[in-house]
Amino acid sequence: MSAAQVPGYRVWALPGIPEVRPGDDLVKLIAAAATAEGLPQLADGDVLLVTSKIVSKAEGRVLEATDREAAIDRETVRVVARRGTLRIVQNRQGLVMAAAGVDASNTQPGTVLLLPEDPDASARAIRAGLRTALGVDVGVVVSDTSGRPWRAGLTDIAIGAAGVRVLDDLRGGTDAYGNPLSVTVVATADELAAAGDLVKGKATGLPVAVVRGLGHVVEPAGDGDGARALVRGAESDMFRLGTSEAVRQAVTLRRTVRAFTDDPVDPGAVRRAVAAAVTAPAPHHTTPWRFVLLESAEARRELLDAMRDAWIADLRADGKSPESIAKRVRRGDVLRGAPYLAVPCVVADGAHSYPDARRGAAEREMFLVAGGAGIQNFLVALAGERLGSAWVSSTMFCRDVVRDVLGLPENWEPMGAVAIGRAAEAPKERPPRAADDFVVVR
């Protein structure tokens, strides 16, 4: 391979761009810097890397703000993680970054910079303007500095793009050894942004850089998908929340599901939920939780049929009419419609004996409360696994029947049944509950 055939590219910063102010013609400023004597002239296939700060300034995204936190609040759509005063949030542009991208550096004291309203549109405007001003067809990347999960330090990422292939999908190809590439999608626009940052710097007054030699990443027709395509959707984001935020959201998402799809339930997910359940507090250092997992349709049918027969017998003994009995029995259909059932039980091994009924009743209640705490952990963990659930009390009314059908020891007390599966429909909006309505302070 000759030297001319060795893959490579060149990157350089554009000097001469003055301090940008609201209303400045950014295309004019860049074009003047790019055509300065002694610099390579922009050419078709080049990629222009533009720091978002000068785009924000030109577009008037400078905010008089003595309270940066208030500005962050206004730009925040969703809090991802919070540690003290540091917030990682999703902003109105869909980006997840510290402080919503609100920046108090490189701007006048008493002001903050917001990110461009639509960074992709900003990139398209710069590209079109340079095509008109200089007659060149270049790609444009608008970049901003961001941290990354699992990695120390900051780097520039693409928040806006035009005329650039932002993602290079290599899936379906093979590597040098013939192995199939099944998950490789390269974030090309982010790599370009990071390359430009190496020559722009953070405090050198060089907000624009040019990359040459990578013409294959420039879209020959149209502006491409834009950097918005780099934002991972919620359905494929495995790390959408920080730890404490994930716990709070799982608690919030824990809703009673009344209708399930036929999608099978991963037994491993249920066992992970059981592992969370048995971390609940319990009296006397005991472990009173047991979970009977009904993974076969035959086991579920046998239990539910026996419980239905026992329920009907009880209702007849109460003098209920056939119509009333049929209506009540239909309420149990939520269990029959679920592809997976769990029967949580409490085993009061280790309970203390007391000579009087008062303390004996309190001792039993301690174990029942511990059972409820374990079940709550279980339901919240299922929500974290993206599984819906419904905790139904029916097994508590026919414990002998449940023990007989499932072959459980006499001292196992079934604490209802939990239907598990994928929700067939989105839950209805639930009115917010104010914590103060449930608090008494003394």
Side-chain angles (χ1 to χ4, degrees), residues 389-430:
S389 64
W391 183 16
V392 182
S393 60
S394 52
T395 68
M396 301 171 67
F397 291 88
C398 54
R399 283 175 168 145
D400 289 341
V401 171
V402 175
R403 282 191 288 261
D404 181 59
V405 172
L406 299 180
L408 305 180
E410 188 66 25
N411 65 335
W412 285 34
E413 293 194 60
M415 299 292 291
V418 179
I420 303 169
R422 304 286 179 188
E425 56 190 23
K428 295 179 180 178
E429 287 293 326
R430 180 167 57 190

Coordinates of all heavy atoms in Angstrom, one line a residue, residues 389-430:
S389 N -47.9 -6.3 37.3 CA -48.3 -7.2 38.4 C -49.7 -6.8 39.0 O -50.1 -5.6 38.9 CB -47.3 -7.4 39.5 OG -47.1 -6.1 40.1
A390 N -50.3 -7.8 39.6 CA -51.5 -7.5 40.4 C -51.5 -8.4 41.6 O -51.4 -9.6 41.5 CB -52.8 -7.7 39.5
W391 N -51.5 -7.8 42.8 CA -51.5 -8.5 44.0 C -53.0 -8.7 44.4 O -53.6 -7.8 44.8 CB -50.7 -7.8 45.1 CG -50.6 -8.5 46.4 CD1 -50.8 -9.8 46.6 CD2 -50.2 -7.9 47.6 NE1 -50.5 -10.1 48.0 CE2 -50.1 -9.0 48.6 CE3 -49.8 -6.7 48.0 CZ2 -49.8 -8.8 49.9 CZ3 -49.4 -6.4 49.3 CH2 -49.4 -7.5 50.3
V392 N -53.4 -10.0 44.4 CA -54.8 -10.3 44.6 C -54.9 -11.1 45.9 O -54.1 -12.1 46.1 CB -55.5 -11.1 43.5 CG1 -56.9 -11.3 43.7 CG2 -55.3 -10.2 42.2
S393 N -55.8 -10.8 46.8 CA -55.8 -11.4 48.2 C -56.5 -12.8 48.2 O -56.6 -13.4 49.3 CB -56.5 -10.5 49.1 OG -57.9 -10.2 48.7
S394 N -57.0 -13.3 47.1 CA -57.8 -14.5 47.1 C -57.3 -15.7 47.8 O -58.1 -16.4 48.5 CB -58.2 -14.9 45.7 OG -57.0 -15.0 44.9
T395 N -56.0 -15.9 47.8 CA -55.5 -17.2 48.4 C -55.6 -17.1 50.0 O -55.6 -18.1 50.6 CB -54.0 -17.4 48.1 OG1 -53.2 -16.4 48.7 CG2 -53.8 -17.4 46.6
M396 N -55.7 -15.9 50.5 CA -55.8 -15.7 51.9 C -57.2 -16.2 52.5 O -57.3 -16.5 53.7 CB -55.6 -14.2 52.3 CG -54.3 -13.7 51.9 SD -54.1 -11.9 52.1 CE -54.1 -11.8 53.9
F397 N -58.2 -16.3 51.6 CA -59.5 -16.8 52.0 C -59.7 -18.3 51.9 O -60.7 -18.8 52.3 CB -60.6 -16.1 51.2 CG -60.7 -14.6 51.4 CD1 -59.9 -13.7 50.8 CD2 -61.6 -14.2 52.4 CE1 -60.0 -12.4 51.0 CE2 -61.7 -12.8 52.7 CZ -60.9 -11.9 52.0
C398 N -58.7 -19.0 51.3 CA -58.8 -20.4 51.2 C -57.4 -21.1 51.4 O -56.9 -21.8 50.5 CB -59.5 -20.9 49.9 SG -58.7 -20.2 48.4
R399 N -56.7 -20.7 52.5 CA -55.4 -21.2 52.7 C -55.2 -22.7 52.7 O -54.2 -23.2 52.2 CB -54.8 -20.5 53.9 CG -54.4 -19.1 53.8 CD -54.0 -18.4 55.0 NE -53.4 -17.1 54.8 CZ -53.5 -16.1 55.6 NH1 -54.2 -16.2 56.7 NH2 -52.9 -14.9 55.3
D400 N -56.2 -23.4 53.3 CA -56.1 -24.8 53.3 C -56.1 -25.4 51.9 O -55.4 -26.3 51.6 CB -57.2 -25.4 54.2 CG -57.1 -25.1 55.6 OD1 -55.9 -24.8 56.0 OD2 -58.1 -25.2 56.4
V401 N -57.0 -24.8 51.1 CA -57.1 -25.3 49.7 C -55.8 -25.1 48.9 O -55.3 -26.0 48.2 CB -58.2 -24.6 48.9 CG1 -58.2 -24.9 47.4 CG2 -59.6 -25.0 49.6
V402 N -55.2 -23.9 49.1 CA -53.9 -23.6 48.4 C -52.8 -24.5 48.9 O -52.0 -25.0 48.1 CB -53.6 -22.1 48.7 CG1 -52.2 -21.7 48.1 CG2 -54.7 -21.2 48.1
R403 N -52.7 -24.7 50.2 CA -51.7 -25.6 50.7 C -51.8 -27.0 50.2 O -50.9 -27.7 49.8 CB -51.7 -25.6 52.2 CG -51.0 -24.4 52.9 CD -50.8 -24.5 54.4 NE -52.1 -24.4 55.1 CZ -52.5 -23.4 55.7 NH1 -51.8 -22.3 55.7 NH2 -53.7 -23.4 56.3
D404 N -53.1 -27.4 50.1 CA -53.4 -28.8 49.6 C -53.0 -29.0 48.1 O -52.3 -29.9 47.7 CB -54.8 -29.2 49.8 CG -55.2 -30.6 49.4 OD1 -54.6 -31.5 49.9 OD2 -56.0 -30.7 48.4
V405 N -53.4 -28.0 47.3 CA -53.1 -28.1 45.9 C -51.6 -28.0 45.6 O -51.1 -28.7 44.7 CB -53.9 -27.0 45.1 CG1 -53.5 -27.0 43.6 CG2 -55.4 -27.2 45.2
L406 N -51.0 -27.1 46.3 CA -49.5 -26.8 46.0 C -48.6 -27.7 46.9 O -47.4 -27.6 46.7 CB -49.2 -25.3 46.3 CG -50.0 -24.3 45.4 CD1 -49.6 -22.9 45.8 CD2 -49.7 -24.6 43.9
G407 N -49.2 -28.5 47.8 CA -48.4 -29.4 48.6 C -47.5 -28.6 49.5 O -46.3 -28.9 49.7
L408 N -48.0 -27.6 50.2 CA -47.2 -26.8 51.1 C -47.3 -27.2 52.5 O -48.4 -27.7 52.9 CB -47.7 -25.3 51.0 CG -47.7 -24.7 49.6 CD1 -48.2 -23.2 49.7 CD2 -46.3 -24.8 48.9
P409 N -46.3 -27.0 53.3 CA -46.4 -27.3 54.7 C -47.5 -26.5 55.5 O -47.9 -25.5 55.0 CB -45.0 -26.9 55.3 CG -44.1 -26.9 54.1 CD -45.0 -26.5 52.9
E410 N -48.0 -27.1 56.6 CA -49.1 -26.5 57.3 C -48.8 -25.1 57.8 O -49.7 -24.2 57.9 CB -49.5 -27.4 58.5 CG -50.7 -27.0 59.2 CD -52.0 -27.1 58.3 OE1 -52.0 -27.9 57.4 OE2 -53.0 -26.4 58.6
N411 N -47.5 -24.8 58.1 CA -47.1 -23.5 58.7 C -46.9 -22.4 57.6 O -46.4 -21.3 57.9 CB -46.0 -23.6 59.6 CG -44.7 -24.0 58.9 OD1 -44.7 -24.7 57.8 ND2 -43.5 -23.7 59.5
W412 N -47.0 -22.7 56.3 CA -46.9 -21.7 55.3 C -48.3 -21.0 55.1 O -49.3 -21.6 54.9 CB -46.5 -22.4 54.0 CG -45.1 -22.8 53.9 CD1 -44.3 -23.3 54.9 CD2 -44.3 -22.8 52.7 NE1 -43.1 -23.6 54.4 CE2 -43.0 -23.3 53.1 CE3 -44.5 -22.4 51.4 CZ2 -42.0 -23.4 52.2 CZ3 -43.4 -22.6 50.5 CH2 -42.2 -23.1 50.9
E413 N -48.3 -19.7 55.3 CA -49.5 -18.9 55.2 C -49.5 -18.1 53.8 O -48.8 -17.1 53.7 CB -49.6 -17.9 56.3 CG -49.8 -18.6 57.7 CD -50.3 -17.6 58.7 OE1 -51.4 -17.0 58.5 OE2 -49.6 -17.4 59.7
P414 N -50.3 -18.6 52.9 CA -50.4 -17.8 51.6 C -50.9 -16.4 51.8 O -51.9 -16.2 52.5 CB -51.3 -18.7 50.7 CG -51.3 -20.0 51.3 CD -51.1 -19.8 52.8
M415 N -50.2 -15.5 51.2 CA -50.6 -14.0 51.4 C -51.1 -13.4 50.1 O -50.7 -12.4 49.7 CB -49.3 -13.3 51.9 CG -48.8 -13.7 53.2 SD -49.9 -13.4 54.6 CE -49.7 -11.6 54.6
G416 N -52.0 -14.1 49.5 CA -52.6 -13.7 48.2 C -51.8 -14.3 47.1 O -51.0 -15.2 47.2
A417 N -52.1 -13.9 45.9 CA -51.5 -14.3 44.7 C -51.1 -13.1 43.8 O -51.8 -12.1 43.8 CB -52.4 -15.2 43.9
V418 N -49.9 -13.2 43.2 CA -49.4 -12.1 42.3 C -49.5 -12.5 40.9 O -48.8 -13.5 40.5 CB -48.0 -11.7 42.7 CG1 -47.5 -10.5 41.8 CG2 -48.0 -11.3 44.2
A419 N -50.3 -11.9 40.1 CA -50.3 -12.1 38.6 C -49.2 -11.3 38.0 O -49.0 -10.1 38.4 CB -51.7 -11.7 38.1
I420 N -48.5 -11.9 37.1 CA -47.3 -11.3 36.5 C -47.3 -11.4 35.0 O -47.7 -12.5 34.5 CB -46.0 -11.9 37.1 CG1 -46.0 -11.9 38.6 CG2 -44.8 -11.3 36.5 CD1 -44.9 -12.7 39.2
G421 N -46.9 -10.4 34.3 CA -46.9 -10.4 32.8 C -46.7 -9.0 32.3 O -46.5 -8.0 33.0
R422 N -46.8 -8.9 31.0 CA -46.7 -7.6 30.3 C -48.1 -7.0 30.2 O -49.0 -7.7 29.9 CB -46.2 -7.8 28.8 CG -44.8 -8.5 28.7 CD -43.7 -7.6 29.2 NE -42.4 -8.4 29.1 CZ -41.3 -7.9 29.5 NH1 -41.2 -6.7 30.1 NH2 -40.2 -8.6 29.5
A423 N -48.1 -5.7 30.6 CA -49.4 -5.1 30.6 C -50.0 -5.0 29.2 O -49.3 -4.6 28.2 CB -49.3 -3.7 31.2
A424 N -51.3 -5.3 29.0 CA -51.9 -5.2 27.7 C -52.2 -3.8 27.3 O -52.4 -3.5 26.1 CB -53.1 -6.1 27.7
E425 N -52.2 -2.9 28.2 CA -52.5 -1.5 27.9 C -51.8 -0.6 28.9 O -51.5 -1.0 30.0 CB -54.0 -1.3 27.9 CG -54.7 -1.6 29.2 CD -56.2 -1.6 29.2 OE1 -56.8 -1.7 28.1 OE2 -56.8 -1.5 30.3
A426 N -51.7 0.6 28.5 CA -51.0 1.6 29.3 C -51.9 1.9 30.5 O -53.1 2.0 30.4 CB -50.7 2.9 28.6
P427 N -51.3 2.1 31.7 CA -52.1 2.4 32.9 C -52.8 3.7 32.8 O -52.2 4.6 32.1 CB -51.1 2.3 34.0 CG -49.8 2.6 33.4 CD -49.8 2.0 32.0
K428 N -53.9 3.8 33.4 CA -54.6 5.1 33.4 C -53.8 6.1 34.3 O -53.2 5.7 35.3 CB -56.0 4.9 33.9 CG -56.9 4.1 33.0 CD -58.3 3.9 33.6 CE -59.2 3.1 32.6 NZ -60.5 2.8 33.2
E429 N -54.0 7.4 34.0 CA -53.4 8.4 34.8 C -53.9 8.3 36.3 O -55.1 8.2 36.5 CB -53.6 9.8 34.3 CG -52.8 10.1 33.0 CD -51.3 10.1 33.3 OE1 -50.9 10.6 34.4 OE2 -50.6 9.7 32.4
R430 N -53.0 8.4 37.2 CA -53.4 8.3 38.6 C -53.3 9.7 39.2 O -52.2 10.3 39.1 CB -52.6 7.3 39.4 CG -52.9 7.2 40.8 CD -52.3 5.9 41.4 NE -50.9 5.9 41.3 CZ -50.1 4.8 41.6 NH1 -50.7 3.7 42.0 NH2 -48.8 4.9 41.4

